[in-house]
Amino acid sequence: LRPQGIDQMDWEGLRQAVAGCQACPLHRGRTNTVFGTGDVSADWMVVGEAPGENEDLQGEPFVGAAGQLLDRMLQAVGRSRQGQGAQGVYIANVLKCRPPANRNPQPTEIAQCEPFLVRQVAMLRPRLILAMGRFAVQTLLGSTEPIGRLRGQVHRYQGVPVVVTYHPAYLLRNPIDKRKAWADLCLAMDTAEAG
Ligand code: URA
């Protein structure tokens, strides 16, 4: 029940396809799909995990406590979800629907949903993708290595440079690692400039 031809869709078609998607059981529990937000000409993309309760209610990614930290992290590098081009960032999740009780995404759900992310990346062609947290990293890099092992290097997804960092929800629980996240943001800035 996932629409056909995702790899040919434009932004509006893709948005409608996500809004109507019934490819996995998560559609039954959703209030809203969470497509993504930000300027489509932004040269950075942030990829998170999945909507939580607030995101499901508002239909926008990263609007809860983790989102506030993400906004501060982006501000520190001169970017925001309202900004455009080199001041902008497009924010999306691997999953467009909220898993019940915020449980971890399941491999079948990720497999059903990933074509939407693939198309978002193909249309954005950002200079840099910042992958936040284990599920974003696993999906984009196809690796089950822990974040700590994948940080500090530049990876690629669809030819786009990918920098890996901790999820802001993790950083709220483990503020000691904010220093490493700052180093990751510096690598992301250097990488985007070099690209
Ligand atoms: N965590 C995520 O990974 N994405 C959101 O949109 C909100 C919280």
Side-chain angles (χ1 to χ4, degrees):
L1 288 174
R2 196 179 58 216
Q4 301 295 303
I6 292 173
D7 60 347
Q8 304 293 320
M9 287 178 181
D10 62 11
W11 281 107
E12 191 44 40
L14 190 67
R15 183 181 290 280
Q16 284 176 18
V18 167
C21 183
Q22 300 188 356
C24 84
L26 294 184
H27 77 273
R28 296 201 196 100
R30 74 185 174 218
T31 314
N32 291 293
T33 53
V34 178
F35 180 75
T37 194
D39 175 29
V40 296
S41 69
D43 61 9
W44 277 34
M45 180 181 194
V46 165
V47 177
E49 177 178 320
E53 185 179 14
N54 293 305
E55 291 77 20
D56 172 72
L57 290 174
Q58 296 184 39
E60 180 163 336
F62 283 104
V63 292
Q68 286 169 17
L69 176 55
L70 173 61
D71 285 340
R72 290 199 299 277
M73 293 167 72
L74 292 170
Q75 199 182 16
V77 295
R79 291 177 183 266
S80 74
R81 62 180 86 197
Q82 292 84 25
Q84 298 191 332
Q87 278 87 49
V89 59
Y90 190 88
I91 305 174
N93 288 308
V94 171
L95 291 191
K96 312 304 191 209
C97 293
R98 181 191 181 202
N102 300 342
R103 67 151 168 74
N104 289 337
Q106 292 179 354
T108 51
E109 295 159 356
I110 294 177
Q112 289 295 336
C113 217
E114 193 186 353
F116 297 128
L117 181 68
V118 169
R119 186 66 188 145
Q120 287 176 309
V121 172
M123 284 193 284
L124 288 165
R125 298 303 306 164
R127 292 167 77 95
L128 179 96
I129 295 175
L130 187 64
M132 302 194 105
R134 182 157 67 101
F135 288 95
V137 168
Q138 282 182 7
T139 304
L140 297 180
L141 306 185
S143 166
T144 53
E145 293 275 320
I147 305 265
R149 296 273 291 276
L150 296 167
R151 299 179 48 247
Q153 321 157 40
V154 180
H155 307 268
R156 297 230 161 219
Y157 181 71
Q158 295 182 47
V160 178
V162 177
V163 168
V164 164
T165 195
Y166 296 104
H167 194 284
Y170 167 88
L171 293 173
L172 289 173
R173 297 190 304 270
N174 302 274
I176 187 96
D177 279 336
K178 283 186 181 172
R179 268 182 306 157
K180 291 185 190 161
W182 174 243
D184 299 334
L185 286 173
C186 291
L187 175 61
M189 281 192 289
D190 290 347
T191 304
E193 265 168 41

